[in-house]
Amino acid sequence: VQLVESGGGLVQDGGSLRLSCAASGFSFDDYAIGWFRQAPGKEREGVLCMSAYDGSTYDVESVRGRFTMSRDNAKNTMYLQMNSLKPEDTALYYCAVDLEDEWCRETFESARGGWSWGQGTQVTVSS
């Protein structure tokens, strides 16, 4: 399994970014996928999760209405569209696959489960 994020950078408060994650070694049809983030001095947290079978998403309250997640099965790529960014969104963002489950679970929010991670891409939002 390999996951490679891209698209991070520096953006102003209220701006937008789209992160991409190129995946290999597994199928999006078989496992839940997700985006996570970790700010300095904080624990890693789930942002958005997508279940394998129906593509339904599970988001956390802090990003609801601002962030969306999508996948392109033909390209084996997942995306995180981030709008209305805030300084508190500043973090290292990771894409991941849960090799133990095809469905998103509540444990996703605390980054628990059988997740395999990419190396991360930095997002910095300036005020």
Side-chain angles (χ1 to χ4, degrees):
V1 170
Q2 186 173 21
L3 298 158
V4 180
E5 302 94 338
S6 61
L10 175 64
V11 63
Q12 289 189 330
D13 191 354
S16 297
L17 277 176
R18 189 176 82 152
L19 305 183
S20 300
C21 174
S24 60
F26 69 97
S27 170
F28 288 163
D29 291 331
D30 293 333
Y31 303 104
I33 54 177
W35 286 95
F36 298 77
R37 66 186 180 185
Q38 187 167 17
K42 293 189 176 182
E43 297 291 321
R44 189 174 300 186
E45 62 176 359
V47 175
L48 273 157
C49 179
M50 178 177 284
S51 293
Y53 294 135
D54 60 3
S56 57
T57 56
Y58 180 117
D59 60 6
V60 295
E61 186 175 351
S62 60
V63 305
R64 192 162 297 149
R66 302 187 299 122
F67 291 13
T68 56
M69 177 178 177
S70 61
R71 69 187 187 193
D72 185 329
N73 285 21
K75 295 182 179 180
N76 285 339
T77 301
M78 66 176 92
Y79 304 96
L80 179 66
Q81 178 66 44
M82 304 184 292
N83 299 327
S84 301
L85 282 160
K86 306 175 182 179
E88 53 263 43
D89 294 317
T90 295
L92 190 60
Y93 282 73
Y94 301 87
C95 60
V97 55
D98 188 347
L99 297 175
E100 296 179 357
D101 206 336
E102 62 269 32
W103 296 104
C104 296
R105 309 290 179 183
E106 193 173 318
T107 50
F108 146 80
E109 293 192 32
S110 56
R112 288 180 288 143
W115 297 97
S116 292
W117 314 93
Q119 83 287 350
T121 186
Q122 179 67 37
V123 172
T124 302
V125 184
S126 63
S127 57

